Amino acid sequence: MKKEQPPETPEEFLDRAEEAMAAEKGWTFAVRGRERLVLQGQTNGASYESTVRLTQDPKAFHSTGATTSSKGVRKAEEIFVVDGTGYVKEGTGAWKQEPASEPEMKNKVEDPLSAIEEFRSYVTESGGDVTLTRQGGQVRLQVSVSSRKLPQVRERAYVEKAMRELNPTLKQLQNAGVSATEDQLTLSSLKETMILDADSYRITSHRFQFGFLIPYGAQNITFAQDVSESNKGVFEGSIELPAGVG
């Protein structure tokens, strides 16, 4: 029997990661996120914590967590994605639904397994942007950008993802009188990292961090986001919508 060659390239590691994650019925991840907007020294922001459960046959997603504003106001949030439709319940509000492909729903759904396909797109688009490092029992795949004017990097897939996250806030700022357009923005930093176990090739963690500078008069408004997902192990259960939803 021919011994399988160990992976060497980012594509080969991504293939192994996909096989390793598909070998189990489902997974549980702990998600933590922070978002902040700084204007004239005043900071508004929110933090987010949730437990995410995923199954792969059938493909389904369930998240339970809460968002806490910088003023300490906490709001529970529950999300399902089943059969291509996302369902969201915030606080005591009613369930809302829309296609999982909609940008607003994509921003809410933190699916660590989707990082495999995303990194594949980064390799296909510009393979040299994806760095691969091995240290101890870990393999690290990463893309990063230091300070660049947005038009210089706008077409890269990972920058597109950051812009999707920024857009709702940018629209709010523009409605409030901030005249900056996309072409005037600076991507101050971006780093996306996926860490695999070097033996099993399972995803152990995924993190997406970025910041933008938005011109406002003689100064900048700063927007930053940092979301991390940590693998907590195999999930053996099933995911079903609550009665009366969908």
Side-chain angles (χ1 to χ4, degrees):
M1 182 175 173
K2 186 179 177 183
K3 188 177 180 182
E4 193 172 24
Q5 290 294 315
E8 293 291 337
T9 65
E11 299 98 316
E12 289 168 347
F13 275 103
L14 290 168
D15 287 344
R16 295 292 181 89
E18 183 175 39
E19 291 170 10
M21 299 307 283
E24 301 292 348
K25 178 182 177 182
W27 297 94
T28 300
F29 283 82
V31 178
R32 299 172 71 94
R34 294 195 314 274
E35 185 175 289
R36 72 178 192 279
L37 187 72
V38 183
L39 169 60
Q40 296 176 330
Q42 299 294 312
T43 301
N44 284 307
S47 60
Y48 177 74
E49 291 188 17
S50 72
T51 298
V52 165
R53 294 180 176 89
L54 305 142
T55 58
Q56 301 184 83
D57 188 17
K59 188 173 175 59
F61 171 99
H62 182 212
S63 169
T64 52
T67 300
T68 305
S69 74
S70 50
K71 296 179 180 177
V73 178
R74 182 177 170 86
K75 182 187 284 187
E77 183 179 77
E78 186 170 13
I79 304 169
F80 286 89
V81 179
V82 176
D83 293 333
T85 300
Y87 305 83
V88 179
K89 180 180 172 67
E90 296 179 336
T92 57
W95 285 96
K96 298 175 183 177
Q97 71 180 71
E98 64 179 340
S101 57
E102 287 295 314
E104 187 177 350
M105 188 61 69
K106 281 187 171 184
N107 286 349
K108 285 186 173 295
V109 174
E110 300 296 344
D111 178 356
L113 299 187
S114 67
I116 296 172
E117 277 309 311
E118 287 171 346
F119 266 84
R120 274 214 184 92
S121 75
Y122 306 160
V123 171
T124 302
E125 176 187 84
S126 49
D129 289 359
V130 180
T131 62
L132 171 65
T133 54
R134 285 175 258 202
Q135 187 172 8
Q138 294 184 339
V139 175
R140 181 189 304 264
L141 294 161
Q142 190 172 79
V143 290
S144 63
V145 180
S146 54
S147 183
R148 301 286 291 274
K149 291 293 185 183
L150 180 61
Q152 295 176 313
V153 291
R154 179 69 175 86
E155 300 306 314
R156 296 182 187 179
Y158 40 89
V159 178
E160 290 274 355
K161 185 162 71 163
M163 278 303 301
R164 190 189 73 216
E165 297 280 356
L166 170 68
N167 273 330
T169 300
L170 184 60
K171 286 176 182 173
Q172 288 176 357
L173 290 171
Q174 288 169 337
N175 290 338
V178 175
S179 60
T181 62
E182 275 195 19
D183 286 350
Q184 295 172 298
L185 306 185
T186 298
L187 179 65
S188 54
S189 64
L190 181 148
K191 187 180 291 183
E192 184 168 5
T193 309
M194 180 163 55
I195 295 179
L196 310 178
D197 180 273
D199 295 320
S200 68
Y201 308 113
R202 292 177 173 184
I203 296 173
T204 58
S205 66
H206 173 247
R207 188 175 184 184
F208 189 46
Q209 310 155 264
F210 65 86
F212 284 96
L213 299 178
I214 304 163
Y216 181 55
Q219 55 190 318
N220 287 310
I221 299 168
T222 301
F223 177 86
Q225 193 180 96
D226 183 350
V227 178
S228 60
E229 303 151 343
S230 177
N231 192 340
K232 296 301 179 183
V234 173
F235 173 60
E236 296 283 4
S238 58
I239 295 172
E240 295 177 0
L241 291 172
V245 178

